[in-house]
Amino acid sequence: MSTETQDGDDLEERVTNFLRRNFPQIQMHGGSAAIQDIDRESGEVSIALGGACSGCGISPMTIQAIKTRMVKEIPEIEKVNAHTGMGGGGDMGGMSPSFPGETVDDGEEDEGPEAPF
């Protein structure tokens, strides 16, 4: 077995362990995280979140946390691509998450929801 293969297997194992250790809630909530590709030359890794992650409202925050933490914790990783397979690469199809109490000025007048009567 070559050193390159051993190093590669070790890197894949470290990425898998990173996901399990730092994001146990993914699996606990019915989601999954799978390594799609690791490019050892560029230091780029692609992660696919599936299962319950595909419809989860906080998956964009989970994706951002994975991207931020993985490059800090695993020195060989320089860039992380992660997505839920919902067509937006983790960016909610062009929408950004909003938080309670947050206001957004998009230039349109908003009078709130219409009454059903």
Side-chain angles (χ1 to χ4, degrees), residues 11-51:
L11 181 58
E12 187 171 338
E13 185 176 322
R14 287 186 289 145
V15 170
T16 300
N17 288 336
F18 165 86
L19 291 168
R20 284 188 194 137
R21 187 175 60 254
N22 289 289
F23 299 96
Q25 70 273 22
I26 291 173
Q27 191 170 16
M28 289 172 25
H29 293 171
S32 62
I35 300 168
Q36 286 193 308
D37 184 52
I38 297 177
D39 185 335
R40 289 159 184 85
E41 287 185 27
S42 69
E44 196 167 333
V45 64
S46 296
I47 306 290
L49 300 179

Side-chain angles (χ1 to χ4, degrees), residues 58-111:
I58 65 167
S59 62
M61 291 179 280
T62 302
I63 288 170
Q64 188 57 46
I66 289 170
K67 290 179 175 185
T68 302
R69 291 183 192 174
M70 190 179 293
V71 297
K72 289 179 181 177
E73 187 171 318
I74 303 173
E76 296 91 336
I77 302 297
E78 294 188 26
K79 182 177 181 183
V80 178
N81 299 305
H83 60 87
T84 61
M86 293 288 290
D91 65 2
M92 294 178 65
M95 296 172 48
S96 60
S98 60
F99 303 95
E102 178 182 47
T103 58
V104 177
D105 183 12
D106 57 6
E108 295 181 21
E109 191 160 330
D110 184 10
E111 295 179 16

